Every structure is written in structure tokens, then in C-alpha cells.
Amino acid sequence: MHDLLIENALIVDGTGSEPVHGNIAVSDGVITHITEGKSGGEKAHKHIDADGLVVAPGFVDPHTHYDAQLAWDPLLTSSPWHGVTTVVQGNCGVGVAPLPPEMREIAMWDLVHVEDIPFETLKEGIDWQWETYGQYLDAMQARGVGINVAGFVPLTPIRQTVMGEASLERAGTDEEIVRMKEVLRQSLREGGFGWSATFSEGHVGYEGRPVACRLADRRELGALCDVMKEERLGSIELTFGQPELGAIADDALDTLRFVSDRSQRPITYL
């Protein structure tokens, strides 16, 4: 006897195959078999008649900004309402970890301007039980997470951790770049999915100034790419302004090529 039998569903298996009408049996949390056609009267502790409905794998949303919301909303609503079971957060180089206490307010104002999250919501909703990226993930795990989460380590918090408010004013020195590499490497080993940055002129943050990662130069980007290549894991997400819909500027394409060649890792971009 099965634990669960989902009957008469339109089944989309996620492989690209044509949908089929059929039934899905589940036992001990695992799909044990799929049969086509009408249900044959198999026994199960629970039956769900899915006639007229679709059963499919959960969707992956590769570009979200739930970094702060995760601190007060473990279900990450409203994504699961639409069938999303995995989100990738930390995009566009902004986020809440890693981050020292003195940079928290600046990070929150970055999210106000870039993601239109009310400052009072951030102030009341984040309890700041972390400074490192690993501590952030531990705090989220302890609170409970309703869906799967993968997180980029944003370049703005990396620079804020190493440079403080100077991250809003200039590129990093050689010594600071070495420290940025250490912060990224530690964050990756503690569960970070990669790193992200934005170069879009529309991304301003604290006091209307460019978010810190926009001031990173090629030396910084190259150093972070080296870490990715050495660790042989993770991905990179980059955001650029668009000269027109569907187009990419030459300098943005040049940056993509540089990062791809230097890191030897997958890249997504806007």
C-alpha cells in the first residue's frame, strides 16, 4: 500500500518530454512509480484526485532578493504560491551577509533603494545574529526554511566587510583585495553559491550613492574570479544597464568575457 496516490493528473516530468495523463505513487516521501492512464484502483493511505490539474517538479527562480526577508519569512512568500521550490538570492551585488555591525544601516539603505524594501520593515525584521556568511546561513537554518535556498555572496557586503565606508568611495588596495579573497573563500566554504555584482547606473543605495560593488575595478573582479577557479565551485551573477531592450553594451560584454575566462565558472547576467 502506498502512502499517497495522486490520480488522474497531467504529469510534466521536467525532462522536456510530452506531458502524460496518469498517476503518481509516493511512499516514504519518495515517488515509487508513475503509471499512465486512469487509476487502476491501487490502494493508498491518502488519495488525491488531480483531474484537471498539473503535477510537475518545483520551479527554480534564479534571480531573487530574499536575503533580508528570509530573516522573518521562512516560507519566502509569495514564491511557493506559484510553484517555486528553489530560489537563488543575493543577486545584483547587494545583501545582508557577510557584514560587520557598523555597516548594517548602510546595507539596509542599499536594499531600500535597490529593491524598494521599506527601511522600517528591514529594521524590525532583521535580528542580525551574524557577521560572516556562514553565521547567516546557520541563523536562517535554525529559524527554519520552507523551500530550498541558494545564495550568492554579494560583492557590496564583501567590500563593506573589508573596507567599511571607504567601499563607497574607491577601488580596493592590494591589501584589501587580498582580504576580499579571504572573505569570499570563507563564504564559499561555508555554503555560499558564488558571488554577484551590479554595474547598472540605476543601482544606487545609501545616500543616493552607487552601491559599493560598482566601484570595484578589474583587479578586484579578477581576484574574486581566481578564488572561484581555485575552489572549483559556484556561479557568478552580473547585472548591467541596457542600452536598449534585449541589447548588451560592448563594455558589459567585455566584462562578461573577462569574468568567464578568468573564473572558468558559469555566469548568469541581466
Side-chain angles (χ1 to χ4, degrees):
M1 179 179 291
H2 308 294
D3 293 335
L4 170 66
L5 188 63
I6 304 172
E7 302 173 283
N8 308 315
L10 180 62
I11 302 170
V12 178
D13 67 9
T15 66
S17 301
E18 289 295 319
V20 298
H21 284 90
N23 316 283
I24 301 173
V26 179
S27 294
D28 294 325
V30 176
I31 294 175
T32 52
H33 69 268
I34 298 174
T35 58
E36 294 188 33
K38 288 287 186 179
S39 173
E42 296 180 82
K43 294 183 178 180
H45 294 293
K46 182 178 181 179
H47 290 256
I48 296 177
D49 185 359
D51 187 30
L53 302 176
V54 174
V55 176
F59 295 102
V60 177
D61 187 340
H63 192 107
T64 75
H65 290 275
Y66 282 125
D67 310 59
Q69 184 173 326
L70 190 55
W72 66 81
D73 177 14
L75 288 180
L76 296 180
T77 50
S78 60
S79 285
W81 303 349
H82 303 287
V84 173
T85 56
T86 298
V87 298
V88 182
Q89 64 180 29
N91 291 276
C92 299
V94 293
V96 296
L99 204 67
E102 63 270 19
M103 297 302 293
R104 290 169 179 169
E105 184 167 336
I106 290 177
M108 288 190 289
W109 281 111
D110 286 344
L111 291 172
V112 170
H113 291 290
V114 175
E115 292 305 317
D116 201 25
I117 306 172
F119 183 81
E120 288 303 316
T121 299
L122 296 165
K123 186 176 179 180
E124 293 296 322
I126 304 176
D127 56 13
W128 298 110
Q129 296 181 33
W130 63 86
E131 292 186 32
T132 69
Y133 198 81
Q135 290 169 347
Y136 167 75
L137 293 181
D138 289 344
M140 299 305 105
Q141 188 69 42
R143 185 176 287 110
V145 182
I147 61 176
N148 303 309
V149 177
F152 289 116
V153 187
L155 181 51
T156 289
I158 292 175
R159 301 184 90 242
Q160 290 169 335
T161 296
V162 173
M163 301 173 62
E165 286 200 45
S167 64
L168 297 169
E169 301 169 356
R170 58 174 174 81
T173 64
D174 290 343
E175 293 78 10
E176 289 166 340
I177 291 173
V178 170
R179 177 64 182 136
M180 289 181 209
K181 292 178 65 176
E182 294 172 351
V183 171
L184 175 60
R185 194 183 307 276
Q186 176 185 347
S187 299
L188 292 175
R189 292 179 177 181
E190 291 175 343
F193 187 64
W195 61 271
S196 70
T198 181
F199 303 99
S200 171
E201 293 182 358
H203 280 162
V204 297
Y206 177 69
E207 295 182 340
R209 300 156 74 180
V211 293
C213 66
R214 285 179 53 193
L215 278 71
D217 61 15
R218 281 287 177 96
R219 295 178 307 124
E220 292 180 44
L221 300 182
L224 298 180
C225 288
D226 291 343
V227 173
M228 298 288 287
K229 184 176 181 179
E230 292 160 6
E231 294 295 315
R232 293 189 296 177
L233 55 82
S235 180
I236 299 168
E237 185 273 337
L238 301 176
T239 299
F240 303 96
Q242 282 185 306
E244 60 184 78
L245 186 63
I248 184 168
D250 290 342
D251 59 343
L253 185 58
D254 183 58
T255 298
L256 279 173
R257 287 172 172 155
F258 170 78
V259 171
S260 177
D261 291 343
R262 186 78 171 254
S263 69
Q264 297 296 295
R265 301 303 306 166
I267 300 175
T268 60
Y269 71 94
L270 268 69

